[in-house]
Amino acid sequence: MLNMAVNLDSVSKRFGEIRAVNALSLEIAEGTVYGLLGPNGSGKSTTMKLIMGLLKPDSGRITVCGMDPQKEPLNVKRVIGYVPETPRLYEFLTGMEYLDFIAAIHGIPTEQYMPKVNRFLKAFELSGHENKMIGGYSNGMKQKTAIIGALLGDPELLVLDEPLGGLDSKSARIMKDLLHTIAEEGVTTIFSTHVLEIAEAICDKICILYKGNLLTEGTAEELKRLSDTPDSTLEEAFLKLTNSSDVREIVEALVY
Ligand SMILES: Nc1ncnc2c1ncn2[C@@H]1O[C@H](COP(=O)(O)OP(=O)(O)O)[C@@H](O)[C@H]1O
Ligand SMILES: [Mg+2]
């Protein structure tokens, strides 16, 4: 039996009339890079916030690393590294000061986190920029800094909401390798994107969300086979999801 990092059992969340997440059931095994794929408004961010315990479900059950996020809000946040869609960093801190601050929140001693910080700075090609003010960083650099921060607390679960927004193709490739390296150490990642090819390139398993409903779930291989079959509804869904022109370079870097 595989251990489940995250379990959603018929979870629903509405905002007024909008059914953001509709009777969603998911099982995410430990050590998986799991993709939430869907166009804007399909409920990806809401699902992530429910898993984080930042939103309370209207109905259904959520289990994260054996805990209910509503009953153990702090313990759940302790085991998750979360990077929201537009991470808010402190513009007047340097990257290093920000990471020192995150380490302090987690109570991690310097000698423990510095080797890790240096490893990730190097991996993301941020070395040499860590003593510059975050306000001067590009969006990609901010996002990479936020991801390093999320990794510092040794999370069991990494929740990355559309993390390739500000990243270039090279960083995307680095991130793919990094996620699979930590997956081998047992870390689970939930990764959202609205681009089919990115999900296929990065994720072991993918669920397709559309208007809060789960359309289908499977491995990248299974979805590829499905997308070849001329099933009209699925075909339409894929077309809506794939807006490749602006991400062509990133996809190429991920695939080859
Ligand atoms: N705080 C909120 N208040 C009202 N509506 C919201 C709120 N958050 C999300 N929604 C709505 O819920 C739906 C799903 O949103 P979201 O989870 O952000 O989708 P995605 O991340 O896939 O783009 C959308 O229709 C969105 O407008
Ligand atoms: Mg979103």
Side-chain angles (χ1 to χ4, degrees):
M1 262 286 282
L2 283 171
N3 283 331
M4 290 301 148
V6 177
N7 217 303
L8 267 66
D9 182 10
S10 197
V11 170
S12 296
K13 179 70 190 176
R14 304 169 67 129
F15 296 106
E17 290 299 295
I18 300 169
R19 292 170 186 274
V21 172
N22 200 13
L24 180 64
S25 294
L26 294 178
E27 284 192 331
I28 305 178
E30 267 177 34
T32 312
V33 180
Y34 192 91
L36 294 181
L37 172 65
N40 285 337
S42 54
K44 303 181 297 295
S45 298
T46 303
T47 302
M48 291 180 151
K49 288 175 195 163
L50 287 163
I51 289 169
M52 275 295 291
L54 298 175
L55 289 172
K56 188 177 184 317
D58 299 330
S59 56
R61 269 228 323 252
I62 302 177
T63 313
V64 177
C65 303
M67 297 177 276
D68 177 337
Q70 290 304 312
K71 291 194 182 125
E72 297 187 62
L74 286 178
N75 288 335
V76 163
K77 286 175 189 74
R78 234 169 243 139
V79 298
I80 304 184
Y82 173 54
V83 182
E85 250 171 315
T86 37
R88 301 250 182 275
L89 303 180
Y90 302 89
E91 305 268 310
F92 295 105
L93 294 184
T94 66
M96 197 58 237
E97 285 167 343
Y98 171 75
L99 295 172
D100 285 337
F101 171 64
I102 298 292
I105 290 177
H106 287 285
I108 315 167
T110 314
E111 63 276 15
Q112 224 171 61
Y113 72 84
M114 273 320 286
K116 210 182 292 173
V117 164
N118 287 326
R119 169 186 163 201
F120 292 139
L121 286 174
K122 192 150 172 268
F124 276 136
E125 299 183 315
L126 277 180
S127 306
H129 297 285
E130 68 270 34
N131 294 320
K132 295 178 189 160
M133 211 87 95
I134 290 173
Y137 283 10
S138 67
N139 282 337
M141 290 164 76
K142 285 180 189 167
Q143 207 161 27
K144 290 189 241 180
T145 305
I147 293 168
I148 296 173
L151 286 165
L152 278 192
D154 274 335
E156 290 176 44
L157 176 66
L158 195 57
V159 177
L160 304 177
D161 199 352
E162 306 240 12
L164 294 183
L167 295 193
D168 57 21
S169 54
K170 196 166 178 199
S171 313
R173 175 81 221 184
I174 292 164
M175 187 145 89
K176 176 184 176 177
D177 294 342
L178 182 78
L179 295 183
H180 287 276
T181 306
I182 61 174
E184 278 166 27
E185 296 160 15
V187 179
T188 311
T189 299
I190 306 181
F191 182 105
S192 73
T193 174
H194 60 276
V195 182
L196 173 66
E197 291 109 315
I198 288 181
E200 282 181 341
I202 289 202
C203 304
D204 307 319
K205 214 164 179 200
I206 298 162
C207 90
I208 300 186
L209 293 179
Y210 189 62
K211 293 189 176 165
N213 294 298
L214 190 149
L215 283 191
T216 184
E217 196 213 36
T219 63
E221 279 305 312
E222 286 165 348
L223 291 192
K224 247 179 232 152
R225 248 176 280 141
L226 274 177
S227 62
D228 288 339
T229 48
D231 176 308
S232 62
T233 51
L234 200 60
E235 191 74 8
E236 278 166 29
F238 275 113
L239 283 176
K240 284 190 196 112
L241 295 171
T242 309
N243 175 16
S244 310
S245 56
D246 54 333
V247 291
R248 179 56 38 211
E249 266 181 52
I250 288 183
V251 168
E252 279 171 8
L254 288 172
V255 174
Y256 303 110

